[in-house]
Short mmCIF file of all heavy atoms in Angstrom, two decimals:
data_model
loop_
_atom_site.label_atom_id
_atom_site.label_comp_id
_atom_site.label_asym_id
_atom_site.label_seq_id
_atom_site.Cartn_x
_atom_site.Cartn_y
_atom_site.Cartn_z
N LYS A 1172 -14.92 -0.80 -2.54
CA LYS A 1172 -14.65 -1.60 -3.70
C LYS A 1172 -13.64 -2.66 -3.23
O LYS A 1172 -13.06 -3.39 -4.04
CB LYS A 1172 -14.21 -0.84 -4.81
CG LYS A 1172 -15.24 0.09 -5.36
CD LYS A 1172 -14.92 0.60 -6.77
CE LYS A 1172 -16.07 1.43 -7.27
NZ LYS A 1172 -15.91 1.87 -8.68
N ASN A 1173 -13.43 -2.75 -1.88
CA ASN A 1173 -12.44 -3.83 -1.36
C ASN A 1173 -11.03 -3.75 -1.92
O ASN A 1173 -10.41 -4.88 -2.23
CB ASN A 1173 -13.05 -5.19 -1.52
CG ASN A 1173 -14.41 -5.38 -0.75
OD1 ASN A 1173 -14.43 -4.96 0.48
ND2 ASN A 1173 -15.50 -5.95 -1.44
N ILE A 1174 -10.53 -2.66 -2.09
CA ILE A 1174 -9.20 -2.38 -2.52
C ILE A 1174 -8.30 -2.19 -1.37
O ILE A 1174 -8.47 -1.20 -0.61
CB ILE A 1174 -9.10 -1.20 -3.51
CG1 ILE A 1174 -10.07 -1.39 -4.68
CG2 ILE A 1174 -7.63 -1.08 -3.98
CD1 ILE A 1174 -9.69 -2.58 -5.68
N GLU A 1175 -7.24 -3.02 -1.21
CA GLU A 1175 -6.34 -2.90 -0.04
C GLU A 1175 -5.30 -1.88 -0.44
O GLU A 1175 -4.76 -1.87 -1.45
CB GLU A 1175 -5.62 -4.20 0.30
CG GLU A 1175 -4.59 -4.09 1.30
CD GLU A 1175 -3.79 -5.43 1.33
OE1 GLU A 1175 -4.29 -6.56 1.25
OE2 GLU A 1175 -2.47 -5.38 1.49
N ILE A 1176 -5.07 -0.81 0.54
CA ILE A 1176 -4.09 0.15 0.38
C ILE A 1176 -2.87 -0.22 1.19
O ILE A 1176 -2.89 -0.54 2.30
CB ILE A 1176 -4.62 1.47 0.86
CG1 ILE A 1176 -5.78 1.97 -0.04
CG2 ILE A 1176 -3.53 2.60 0.84
CD1 ILE A 1176 -6.53 3.30 0.39
N ARG A 1177 -1.72 0.07 0.49
CA ARG A 1177 -0.41 -0.13 1.20
C ARG A 1177 0.34 1.22 1.07
O ARG A 1177 0.66 1.62 -0.13
CB ARG A 1177 0.41 -1.30 0.58
CG ARG A 1177 -0.22 -2.68 0.79
CD ARG A 1177 0.58 -3.81 0.17
NE ARG A 1177 -0.13 -5.13 0.34
CZ ARG A 1177 0.38 -6.23 -0.02
NH1 ARG A 1177 1.56 -6.33 -0.67
NH2 ARG A 1177 -0.44 -7.38 0.05
N GLY A 1178 0.52 1.92 2.18
CA GLY A 1178 0.91 3.35 2.08
C GLY A 1178 2.26 3.56 2.77
O GLY A 1178 2.75 2.80 3.66
N CYS A 1179 2.93 4.73 2.43
CA CYS A 1179 4.05 5.16 3.05
C CYS A 1179 3.78 5.66 4.53
O CYS A 1179 2.55 5.81 4.82
CB CYS A 1179 4.76 6.15 2.20
SG CYS A 1179 3.84 7.74 2.05
N LEU A 1180 4.66 6.00 5.26
CA LEU A 1180 4.47 6.55 6.56
C LEU A 1180 3.59 7.79 6.55
O LEU A 1180 2.68 7.86 7.49
CB LEU A 1180 5.80 6.82 7.30
CG LEU A 1180 5.75 7.25 8.81
CD1 LEU A 1180 5.14 6.00 9.56
CD2 LEU A 1180 7.19 7.51 9.21
N GLN A 1181 3.88 8.79 5.70
CA GLN A 1181 3.02 10.01 5.64
C GLN A 1181 1.54 9.61 5.26
O GLN A 1181 0.64 10.13 5.79
CB GLN A 1181 3.58 10.95 4.56
CG GLN A 1181 4.86 11.59 5.00
CD GLN A 1181 5.48 12.42 3.84
OE1 GLN A 1181 6.10 11.87 2.91
NE2 GLN A 1181 5.20 13.63 3.97
N THR A 1182 1.47 8.61 4.40
CA THR A 1182 0.02 8.24 3.99
C THR A 1182 -0.73 7.68 5.17
O THR A 1182 -1.88 8.01 5.40
CB THR A 1182 0.17 7.18 2.90
OG1 THR A 1182 0.69 7.72 1.75
CG2 THR A 1182 -1.35 6.69 2.47
N ARG A 1183 0.06 6.86 6.05
CA ARG A 1183 -0.61 6.29 7.25
C ARG A 1183 -0.97 7.21 8.27
O ARG A 1183 -1.77 6.97 9.08
CB ARG A 1183 0.34 5.12 7.69
CG ARG A 1183 0.57 3.94 6.70
CD ARG A 1183 1.41 2.96 7.23
NE ARG A 1183 0.77 2.05 8.21
CZ ARG A 1183 1.35 1.50 9.20
NH1 ARG A 1183 2.72 1.51 9.41
NH2 ARG A 1183 0.67 0.70 10.12
N LYS A 1184 -0.32 8.33 8.22
CA LYS A 1184 -0.65 9.42 9.31
C LYS A 1184 -1.96 10.16 8.85
O LYS A 1184 -2.64 10.62 9.65
CB LYS A 1184 0.48 10.42 9.32
CG LYS A 1184 1.80 9.83 9.94
CD LYS A 1184 2.90 10.98 10.01
CE LYS A 1184 4.10 10.48 10.69
NZ LYS A 1184 5.18 11.50 10.69
N ILE A 1185 -2.30 10.05 7.58
CA ILE A 1185 -3.59 10.74 7.06
C ILE A 1185 -4.75 9.82 7.06
O ILE A 1185 -5.84 10.23 7.46
CB ILE A 1185 -3.26 11.36 5.62
CG1 ILE A 1185 -2.17 12.39 5.76
CG2 ILE A 1185 -4.64 11.99 5.07
CD1 ILE A 1185 -1.71 12.99 4.35
N ILE A 1186 -4.49 8.51 6.59
CA ILE A 1186 -5.56 7.51 6.59
C ILE A 1186 -5.18 6.43 7.41
O ILE A 1186 -4.04 5.83 7.36
CB ILE A 1186 -5.99 7.10 5.10
CG1 ILE A 1186 -4.74 6.72 4.29
CG2 ILE A 1186 -6.67 8.27 4.42
CD1 ILE A 1186 -5.04 6.23 2.92
N SER A 1187 -6.07 6.01 8.23
CA SER A 1187 -5.75 4.86 9.17
C SER A 1187 -6.13 3.45 8.70
O SER A 1187 -6.78 3.34 7.61
CB SER A 1187 -6.45 5.05 10.50
OG SER A 1187 -7.86 5.17 10.32
N ASN A 1188 -5.72 2.54 9.40
CA ASN A 1188 -6.04 1.06 9.07
C ASN A 1188 -5.54 0.68 7.72
O ASN A 1188 -6.32 -0.07 7.00
CB ASN A 1188 -7.55 0.78 9.25
CG ASN A 1188 -8.04 1.12 10.70
OD1 ASN A 1188 -7.34 0.77 11.61
ND2 ASN A 1188 -9.15 1.83 10.76
N ILE A 1189 -4.44 1.01 7.34
CA ILE A 1189 -3.79 0.52 6.01
C ILE A 1189 -2.48 -0.09 6.36
O ILE A 1189 -1.78 0.28 7.39
CB ILE A 1189 -3.78 1.64 5.03
CG1 ILE A 1189 -2.71 2.74 5.45
CG2 ILE A 1189 -5.04 2.22 4.64
CD1 ILE A 1189 -2.27 3.68 4.36
N LYS A 1190 -2.06 -0.98 5.50
CA LYS A 1190 -0.76 -1.59 5.65
C LYS A 1190 0.41 -0.71 5.33
O LYS A 1190 0.27 0.21 4.36
CB LYS A 1190 -0.69 -2.83 4.82
CG LYS A 1190 -1.52 -3.99 5.32
CD LYS A 1190 -1.32 -5.35 4.42
CE LYS A 1190 -2.13 -6.40 5.08
NZ LYS A 1190 -1.91 -7.63 4.30
N GLN A 1191 1.52 -0.93 5.88
CA GLN A 1191 2.76 -0.17 5.56
C GLN A 1191 3.46 -0.78 4.21
O GLN A 1191 3.53 -2.01 4.09
CB GLN A 1191 3.87 -0.34 6.61
CG GLN A 1191 5.25 0.18 6.31
CD GLN A 1191 5.26 1.80 6.41
OE1 GLN A 1191 4.64 2.30 7.27
NE2 GLN A 1191 5.85 2.35 5.40
N ALA A 1192 3.63 0.22 3.27
CA ALA A 1192 4.26 -0.35 2.05
C ALA A 1192 5.78 -0.46 2.29
O ALA A 1192 6.38 0.40 2.95
CB ALA A 1192 4.00 0.74 0.91
N ASP A 1193 6.26 -1.55 1.68
CA ASP A 1193 7.74 -1.71 1.66
C ASP A 1193 8.13 -1.39 0.27
O ASP A 1193 7.37 -1.12 -0.57
CB ASP A 1193 8.17 -3.10 2.13
CG ASP A 1193 7.61 -4.22 1.28
OD1 ASP A 1193 7.32 -4.03 0.16
OD2 ASP A 1193 7.49 -5.26 1.88
N GLU A 1194 9.43 -1.48 0.10
CA GLU A 1194 10.05 -0.91 -1.20
C GLU A 1194 9.51 -1.93 -2.40
O GLU A 1194 9.31 -1.49 -3.49
CB GLU A 1194 11.58 -0.98 -1.20
CG GLU A 1194 12.12 -0.37 -2.54
CD GLU A 1194 13.60 -0.11 -2.49
OE1 GLU A 1194 14.30 -0.69 -1.77
OE2 GLU A 1194 14.07 0.79 -3.27
N GLN A 1195 9.35 -3.21 -2.09
CA GLN A 1195 8.86 -4.04 -3.13
C GLN A 1195 7.53 -3.74 -3.69
O GLN A 1195 7.18 -3.87 -4.86
CB GLN A 1195 8.81 -5.59 -2.56
CG GLN A 1195 8.45 -6.59 -3.68
CD GLN A 1195 9.36 -6.56 -4.91
OE1 GLN A 1195 10.55 -6.46 -4.83
NE2 GLN A 1195 8.68 -6.82 -6.11
N ASP A 1196 6.63 -3.11 -2.75
CA ASP A 1196 5.33 -2.74 -3.09
C ASP A 1196 5.32 -1.76 -4.33
O ASP A 1196 4.43 -1.70 -5.17
CB ASP A 1196 4.57 -2.14 -1.99
CG ASP A 1196 4.07 -3.30 -1.01
OD1 ASP A 1196 3.28 -4.18 -1.50
OD2 ASP A 1196 4.34 -3.22 0.19
N TYR A 1197 6.37 -0.83 -4.29
CA TYR A 1197 6.41 0.26 -5.37
C TYR A 1197 6.87 -0.46 -6.68
O TYR A 1197 6.70 0.39 -7.65
CB TYR A 1197 7.42 1.29 -4.84
CG TYR A 1197 6.96 1.99 -3.59
CD1 TYR A 1197 7.87 2.09 -2.49
CD2 TYR A 1197 5.73 2.34 -3.44
CE1 TYR A 1197 7.46 2.77 -1.32
CE2 TYR A 1197 5.30 3.02 -2.20
CZ TYR A 1197 6.18 3.13 -1.18
OH TYR A 1197 5.74 3.78 -0.04
N TYR A 1198 7.43 -1.56 -6.61
CA TYR A 1198 7.83 -2.27 -7.88
C TYR A 1198 6.72 -3.13 -8.37
O TYR A 1198 6.68 -3.59 -9.55
CB TYR A 1198 9.06 -3.13 -7.65
CG TYR A 1198 10.40 -2.50 -7.60
CD1 TYR A 1198 11.09 -2.31 -6.44
CD2 TYR A 1198 10.97 -1.79 -8.72
CE1 TYR A 1198 12.29 -1.63 -6.32
CE2 TYR A 1198 12.12 -1.15 -8.68
CZ TYR A 1198 12.77 -1.07 -7.42
OH TYR A 1198 14.05 -0.52 -7.36
N GLU A 1199 5.68 -3.41 -7.54
CA GLU A 1199 4.84 -4.58 -7.79
C GLU A 1199 3.67 -4.30 -8.85
O GLU A 1199 2.98 -3.24 -8.78
CB GLU A 1199 4.22 -4.98 -6.54
CG GLU A 1199 3.58 -6.36 -6.55
CD GLU A 1199 4.55 -7.50 -6.65
OE1 GLU A 1199 5.59 -7.32 -6.08
OE2 GLU A 1199 4.23 -8.43 -7.39
N GLU A 1200 3.45 -5.21 -9.78
CA GLU A 1200 2.27 -5.30 -10.55
C GLU A 1200 1.31 -6.28 -9.92
O GLU A 1200 1.57 -7.49 -9.98
CB GLU A 1200 2.55 -5.73 -11.98
CG GLU A 1200 1.27 -5.89 -12.83
CD GLU A 1200 1.53 -6.47 -14.21
OE1 GLU A 1200 2.38 -7.48 -14.26
OE2 GLU A 1200 0.84 -6.07 -15.19
N TYR A 1201 0.30 -5.85 -9.10
CA TYR A 1201 -0.46 -6.69 -8.36
C TYR A 1201 -1.45 -7.43 -9.13
O TYR A 1201 -1.74 -8.65 -8.72
CB TYR A 1201 -1.26 -5.81 -7.35
CG TYR A 1201 -0.42 -5.08 -6.25
CD1 TYR A 1201 -0.28 -3.74 -6.36
CD2 TYR A 1201 0.18 -5.71 -5.24
CE1 TYR A 1201 0.40 -2.93 -5.43
CE2 TYR A 1201 1.05 -4.96 -4.40
CZ TYR A 1201 1.11 -3.61 -4.52
OH TYR A 1201 1.87 -2.98 -3.53
N LEU A 1202 -2.03 -6.90 -10.17
CA LEU A 1202 -3.00 -7.69 -10.89
C LEU A 1202 -4.18 -8.13 -10.06
O LEU A 1202 -4.73 -9.23 -10.14
CB LEU A 1202 -2.46 -8.77 -11.73
CG LEU A 1202 -1.45 -8.42 -12.84
CD1 LEU A 1202 -0.86 -9.70 -13.50
CD2 LEU A 1202 -2.03 -7.57 -13.92
N GLY A 1203 -4.50 -7.26 -9.04
CA GLY A 1203 -5.61 -7.71 -8.02
C GLY A 1203 -5.91 -6.46 -7.21
O GLY A 1203 -5.46 -5.29 -7.49
N PRO A 1204 -6.63 -6.66 -6.20
CA PRO A 1204 -7.25 -5.53 -5.33
C PRO A 1204 -6.39 -4.95 -4.35
O PRO A 1204 -6.66 -4.88 -3.18
CB PRO A 1204 -8.43 -6.26 -4.74
CG PRO A 1204 -8.08 -7.64 -4.56
CD PRO A 1204 -7.20 -8.02 -5.73
N ILE A 1205 -5.20 -4.52 -4.84
CA ILE A 1205 -4.21 -3.98 -3.92
C ILE A 1205 -3.56 -2.67 -4.71
O ILE A 1205 -3.48 -2.78 -5.89
CB ILE A 1205 -3.03 -4.88 -3.61
CG1 ILE A 1205 -3.66 -6.16 -2.99
CG2 ILE A 1205 -2.02 -4.17 -2.69
CD1 ILE A 1205 -2.64 -7.23 -2.80
#
């Protein structure tokens, strides 16, 4: 469904090819495919 994942370090160890989440991501209302 073309949803981009931004994950913590542990998440990135389990699923590959995703972006690293920074603290702002945890506050964010994306209103989009993220």
